[in-house]
Each structure stands twice: as C-alpha cells, then as structure tokens.
Amino acid sequence: MGAGRKPKLGFVDRLLVTLIHLRHGLPHAVLAELFSVDRSTVSAAIRQVRPLLAARGFAVPDRPGLRLKTLEDLFAYAEAEGVELRLDGAETQVRRPQAGRPGRRAFVSGKRRQNTIKTTTFSDGQGRMLLSGVVRPGRMHDQTAVRSEGIAEQFRHRPGVKAEVDSGYQGLAKEFPGQVSAPPKSPKGDACDGDKYAWREARRRQSSARICVEHTNAELRQWAPLRRFTGRRETYAETHIAIACLVSDRAAKRPRRSQPSTELVLARAIAY
C-alpha cells in the first residue's frame, strides 16, 4: 500500500468512470477528454473497478446484506424462502470474429442469424432480478445450457424449488414435471373447440406468470453495452455480471406488488 506511482484518478473518480462506461457505453477516448486524463488511464480504471462490481453478487429483496453469487446460492435461497423462480435466456449482439479464427461459428445464433452471446436470467414472481449469467456462445441452445451449466442438477438437488419457463425449456419441464412449468403443447388440428379454448387459457395463465422475467431482461437492455456489445468478447461475461449486479440493487428496493388473480370469475350472478 502506498508504493508506486500515485494514480491520476482517485477511487471515486475511477468508479464514476466505470459506471458511465457501463451505463452509456462511451468510448475510453471520450471519457479521457471528460476527465482530462490519458486514454490509458481510463482503460486501467475500468479494468480495475469492473471486476470489483462483478464480484459483489446479486442483492436479495427484503434481505439487506445478503447477496447471491452462484447457482447454488440462488437455489438454496429459493428453497428456504419458498420463492418460485422465473428463468429466461437473452442474446446480445457482439462483434464478428476474424475470418479463419477457431470457434467462429460457435457465436452465430440460429435464431437471430447474428454473432451473439447468450445469458440466462433468474427472477422472482415480482420480476426482481436474483441472478443473471450462465454466459455461453450464441449457437448453444437454452436446453443445452441447462445441462452444461448445472441448472438441471440444481433442480435435482433441490426438489422443493419451482420455476416458470418458456417453450425453449420444454425438455427441462418434461424432466421435472412437478417443479418446472412450461407452456402446454398445442392440440392437434382435429381437436374440438373446447380443447383449443382450454389450451389457449392455460397458455395465457402460464405466460402471465412468466412474463415478469421478460421485463427483467428488458431492464438489462437499458444499459448500452448489453444492447450491442462492441468490446472484446472475453470481457463480456464480466461486463454483463457487473451491470446485472447494479440492476439487482435497484430491483431489490422495489416494493412488492400485489399479485392479480388470473382465475375466471363471473361478471354477474346467473340464476338457474
């Protein structure tokens, strides 16, 4: 401590530079002009502060001081508190690798036809972020990530945890039918109108329960680097987690909203 050359930016200024870069995606050269320092000073400040933000963990609603850092922490918390999870994947466009680079095709998303990196976000029933990460190349399917990143293993070890998912996790719902709820499969073309109506109603209710995690992913898209990441792909995971931890701080302070009922009720009494 105290050895070497004194930094041109104090810790508060380095933190401010990093937050501006993460929020607005300003280039290092622009930040250097704003703070009247060299570009290398800004780059060094971001490299120092960004991992500190990413290592903080995710804030927990109504539990000040408690932070979740791993999938094990998340599932242990969900089981202990009886929290029903929502999980969903998201894609962020990244720069295309140079021609001939090994593993170039691994980042080409089959859905968006672009070079992307995928992540998985977990939230509670109020849409408050609990964890975001599980970073993988864009070509990898959500179901493959479930198996390779240990999400399925956590459901196996924590049988009391329940979750709502979209149709991309049908395999997970099939493996854990009592824990994971996915949209019901559509009836066959020759099905009666009653079956079709029941399917639409079940799908509507499941979508209503799951849609809050889509809003959580939308909160991440308010930060410029997660709309289109122009930096080095090797730093994306750290950038994503640092931003997600900051978003979780704000989400944890959000007051609990009342849960509207999705049950069908009669508008007026019917005389028989």
Side-chain angles (χ1 to χ4, degrees):
M1 180 65 65
R5 185 177 57 183
K6 292 184 178 180
K8 295 181 180 180
L9 293 176
F11 179 75
V12 175
D13 290 332
R14 280 179 282 169
L15 176 61
L16 183 59
V17 165
T18 306
L19 291 176
I20 294 175
H21 175 68
L22 293 178
R23 186 65 176 86
H24 300 287
L26 292 181
H28 295 189
V30 175
L31 291 171
E33 289 293 331
L34 291 176
F35 285 83
S36 301
V37 294
D38 190 73
R39 182 184 181 279
S40 61
T41 302
V42 171
S43 300
I46 294 174
R47 286 196 303 269
Q48 292 169 2
V49 177
R50 187 173 54 200
L52 299 179
L53 296 175
R56 295 169 59 243
F58 295 81
V60 178
D62 306 323
R63 293 291 186 273
L66 179 63
R67 304 191 76 88
L68 307 176
K69 296 184 178 182
T70 63
L71 283 172
E72 290 80 3
D73 295 343
L74 170 67
F75 277 80
Y77 163 76
E79 186 177 49
E81 299 292 334
V83 175
E84 186 175 12
L85 299 176
R86 274 73 171 165
L87 66 147
D88 187 40
E91 295 184 72
T92 302
Q93 184 179 355
V94 295
R95 293 189 301 180
R96 188 171 71 172
Q98 295 180 356
R101 186 173 180 179
R104 186 185 186 195
R105 293 188 59 192
F107 290 88
V108 180
S109 170
K111 179 180 179 180
R112 297 181 58 177
R113 304 298 180 184
Q114 295 174 337
N115 285 263
T116 64
I117 290 180
K118 289 184 178 181
T119 53
T120 302
T121 298
F122 297 82
S123 76
D124 62 4
Q126 301 288 324
R128 297 176 293 187
M129 182 180 298
L130 298 176
L131 192 77
S132 185
V134 194
V135 180
R136 74 269 190 191
R139 198 175 185 86
M140 183 182 295
H141 194 272
D142 292 338
Q143 186 63 31
T144 306
V146 164
R147 312 231 175 253
S148 61
E149 300 296 336
I151 298 176
E153 194 68 19
Q154 290 300 318
F155 278 108
R156 189 172 293 109
H157 289 164
R158 305 281 183 177
V161 177
K162 299 181 182 295
E164 298 280 349
V165 298
D166 64 5
S167 56
Y169 299 92
Q170 289 283 0
L172 187 65
K174 185 177 181 180
E175 184 176 357
F176 303 98
Q179 296 177 254
V180 181
S181 172
K185 293 184 178 180
S186 60
K188 296 182 180 180
D190 57 350
C192 64
D193 292 341
D195 290 342
K196 293 180 180 179
Y197 177 79
W199 167 74
R200 286 195 299 267
E201 181 62 21
R203 186 178 180 87
R204 182 191 68 81
R205 294 188 184 186
Q206 199 275 340
S207 176
S208 178
R210 186 197 59 83
I211 195 64
C212 57
V213 72
E214 301 280 0
H215 301 159
T216 305
N217 273 327
E219 286 187 79
L220 294 174
R221 296 296 175 263
Q222 295 175 5
W223 297 67
L226 300 190
R227 290 196 295 269
R228 186 178 186 276
F229 188 71
T230 57
R232 297 176 62 88
R233 290 180 302 160
E234 293 78 6
T235 64
Y236 177 82
E238 187 176 82
T239 301
H240 179 94
I241 296 174
I243 292 174
C245 290
L246 293 169
V247 172
S248 74
D249 289 331
R250 183 173 58 183
K253 299 178 182 178
R254 190 182 306 150
R256 179 181 292 273
R257 302 188 301 269
S258 60
Q259 288 281 12
S261 174
T262 59
E263 297 296 328
L264 294 177
V265 296
L266 295 175
R268 59 184 178 179
I270 298 177
Y272 291 96

